[in-house]
Amino acid sequence: MAGLLLAAGASTRLGQPKALLRAPSGAPLVAEMTERLLAGGCDEVLVVLGAQAESVLEVLAPVQAARSLHVRLLRHDKWVDGMGSSI
């Protein structure tokens, strides 16, 4: 089973990328959620990147390196078209 993590939005109302916020554990939210999906039974996690893709990639690099066969990072160039287009 694969998990899908949408991390492509610009978070304009928040003013900063949600994916980069710190989870209660102290880890960036996108890394924490990726690990939780894997721990919850997903064989693979597809992370969709859009706005702030470079910053999110930087944060996910250690997770992907540790779990390279289980984390796939996908760039979505049309992320401005909304969440539905990311799916």
Side-chain angles (χ1 to χ4, degrees), residues 3 9-10 12 15 23 25 27 34 36 39-40 42 45 48 52 57 61-62 67 71-72 82:
T12 53
S25 67
T34 300
R36 285 188 186 198
C42 291
V45 177
V48 180
Q52 304 294 325
L57 278 169
R67 298 178 174 269
V71 178
R72 214 172 358 156

Side-chain angles (χ1 to χ4, degrees), residues 1-4 33-47 63-64 66-72:
M1 168 176 56
L4 178 64
M33 294 300 103
T34 300
E35 291 289 358
R36 285 188 186 198
L37 285 166
L38 291 167
C42 291
D43 299 313
E44 178 179 38
V45 177
L46 308 172
V47 183
V63 176
Q64 189 180 32
R67 298 178 174 269
S68 61
L69 298 177
H70 304 284
V71 178
R72 214 172 358 156

Side-chain angles (χ1 to χ4, degrees), residues 6-24:
L6 302 178
S11 303
T12 53
R13 289 179 294 181
L14 182 61
Q16 60 184 347
K18 285 181 211 145
L20 302 178
L21 292 177
R22 295 289 171 180

